[in-house]
């Protein structure tokens, strides 16, 4: 409840991570998973996947209290995971701005990570709309995610292109140029906090007919060794194109 606010088990996890010199990234806000992100007491209206949109003053209170409570244990806070799956660009821009101001009250030295959005969010214009709406003032770091859904990370054709998933080099280069143009002399760090594919998803060997992309039973499941190879390639290519941290 609002008057009995506590981070259940969170501080123990953060303390353990810091003990082993691991820098945590704390996600605040709704995600692609159901019933996550906002406390019930902040609810203003319903969103997708059984999430809710908060009253902005209560959202600010929620963020500030989390950051204040975890000061000394965590420095980096990502505002929602894959927001494009739950929010529209204007909703996210509004929440990001409020969260940034509140977080800095809780700990002026904290860093706010924006977007955490999937590849499709860049292709669809979601990330551009957010930045065009509020500029670069209300986050310290931008961090997209790249999921080629079984296609090689450098592949921007076939099913991946149809689904709006640009190849990793194109996405990083385009985003880096867009942000640098907006930032002028300021350097905005770019991370990539998520990438890869799970072994349970179907492999997309190229060339392949598009209908195979939508039929995971038509090919062998994605082998772990291929997953590892694609991951290494994704890391190398993204760092080469301007990502500062993986």
């Amino acid at each position: 409840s609002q008057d009995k606010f506590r981070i259940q088990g969170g501080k123990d996890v953060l303390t353990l991570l810091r003990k082993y010199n691991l820098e945590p990234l704390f996600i605040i806000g709704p995600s692609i998973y159901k019933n996550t992100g906002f406390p019930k007491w902040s609810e203003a209206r319903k969103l997708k996947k059984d999430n809710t949109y908060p009253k902005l003053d209560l959202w600010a209170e929620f963020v500030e209290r989390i950051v204040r409570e975890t000061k000394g244990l965590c420095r980096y806070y990502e505002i929602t995971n894959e927001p494009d799956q739950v929010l529209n660009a204007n909703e996210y821009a509004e929440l990001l701005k409020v969260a940034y101001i509140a977080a800095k009250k809780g700990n002026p030295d904290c860093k706010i990570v924006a977007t955490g959005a999937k590849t499709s969010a860049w292709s669809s214009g979601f990330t551009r709309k957010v930045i065009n709406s509020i500029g670069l003032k209300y986050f310290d770091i931008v961090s997209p995610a790249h999921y080629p859904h079984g296609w090689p990370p450098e592949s921007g054709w076939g099913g991946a292109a149809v689904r709006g998933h640009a190849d990793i080099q194109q996405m990083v280069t385009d985003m880096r140029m867009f942000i640098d143009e907006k930032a002028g002399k300021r350097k905005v760090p770019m991370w990539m906090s998520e990438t890869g594919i799970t072994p349970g998803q179907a492999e997309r060997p190229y060339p392949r007919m598009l209908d195979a992309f939508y039929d995971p039973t038509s090919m062998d499941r994605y082998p772990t060794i291929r997953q590892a190879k694609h991951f290494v390639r994704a890391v190398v290519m993204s760092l080469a194109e301007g990502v500062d941290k993986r």
Side-chain angles (χ1 to χ4, degrees):
S1 65
Q2 186 174 1
D3 60 333
K4 294 181 180 180
F5 179 87
R6 63 195 178 103
I7 304 173
Q8 297 179 343
K11 285 189 175 181
D12 292 339
V13 173
L14 294 175
T15 300
L16 183 63
L17 290 172
R18 295 310 295 263
K19 177 182 177 181
Y20 291 100
N21 296 316
L22 297 173
E23 189 78 66
L25 175 61
F26 198 123
I27 299 175
I28 309 176
S31 79
I32 58 173
Y33 305 105
K34 291 185 177 182
N35 301 310
T36 58
F38 298 128
K40 292 292 185 183
W41 48 263
S42 72
E43 179 178 324
R45 57 185 170 82
K46 297 291 185 182
L47 287 174
K48 303 174 188 175
K49 301 181 184 293
D50 295 334
N51 277 298
T52 58
Y53 194 82
K55 298 180 178 72
L56 293 179
D57 59 332
L58 297 181
W59 166 239
E61 178 185 348
F62 179 60
V63 173
E64 182 180 348
R65 288 169 74 178
I66 286 179
V67 174
R68 193 180 301 278
E69 287 269 338
T70 57
K71 185 177 181 179
L73 296 174
C74 185
R75 289 189 298 164
Y76 299 99
Y77 302 84
E78 182 176 282
I79 306 304
T80 89
N81 174 47
E82 300 185 11
D84 54 308
Q85 304 295 301
V86 180
L87 305 164
N88 64 43
N90 289 332
E91 289 171 334
Y92 181 64
E94 183 176 56
L95 291 180
L96 179 60
K97 179 178 178 179
V98 171
Y100 180 89
I101 294 170
K104 295 295 183 177
K105 289 180 180 178
N107 178 8
D109 296 324
C110 76
K111 300 296 182 184
I112 297 302
V113 181
T115 82
K118 294 175 72 174
T119 325
S120 53
W122 177 251
S123 301
S124 68
F126 179 92
T127 306
R128 292 183 184 88
K129 290 175 184 176
V130 171
I131 293 174
N132 284 333
S133 174
I134 60 172
L136 303 173
K137 181 179 178 180
Y138 297 105
F139 60 87
D140 302 296
I141 300 158
V142 63
S143 181
H146 186 265
Y147 286 108
H149 291 281
W151 294 94
E154 66 273 23
S155 170
W157 47 264
V162 170
R163 292 284 293 274
H165 291 265
D167 71 85
I168 198 167
Q169 293 168 293
Q170 177 188 335
M171 185 190 77
V172 172
T173 300
D174 289 352
M175 187 178 289
R176 181 80 271 170
M177 289 177 62
F178 174 77
I179 291 174
D180 286 350
E181 184 178 321
K182 292 281 186 182
K185 294 182 179 180
R186 177 191 168 196
K187 168 67 172 175
V188 178
M190 181 186 292
W191 292 2
M192 189 169 286
S193 53
E194 296 182 45
T195 191
I197 204 70
T198 58
Q201 289 188 278
E203 183 179 1
R204 319 295 182 196
Y206 51 99
R208 196 77 180 189
M209 296 298 291
L210 289 184
D211 59 353
F213 184 81
Y214 302 101
D215 182 11
T217 64
S218 67
M219 59 188 82
D220 294 332
R221 287 296 181 178
Y222 202 80
T224 303
I225 187 64
R226 184 63 63 84
Q227 180 196 35
K229 289 178 179 179
H230 282 190
F231 178 75
V232 171
R233 279 151 59 182
V235 169
V236 171
M237 286 186 285
S238 60
L239 291 174
E241 296 298 333
V243 167
D244 300 288
K245 196 172 192 178
R246 295 287 312 228

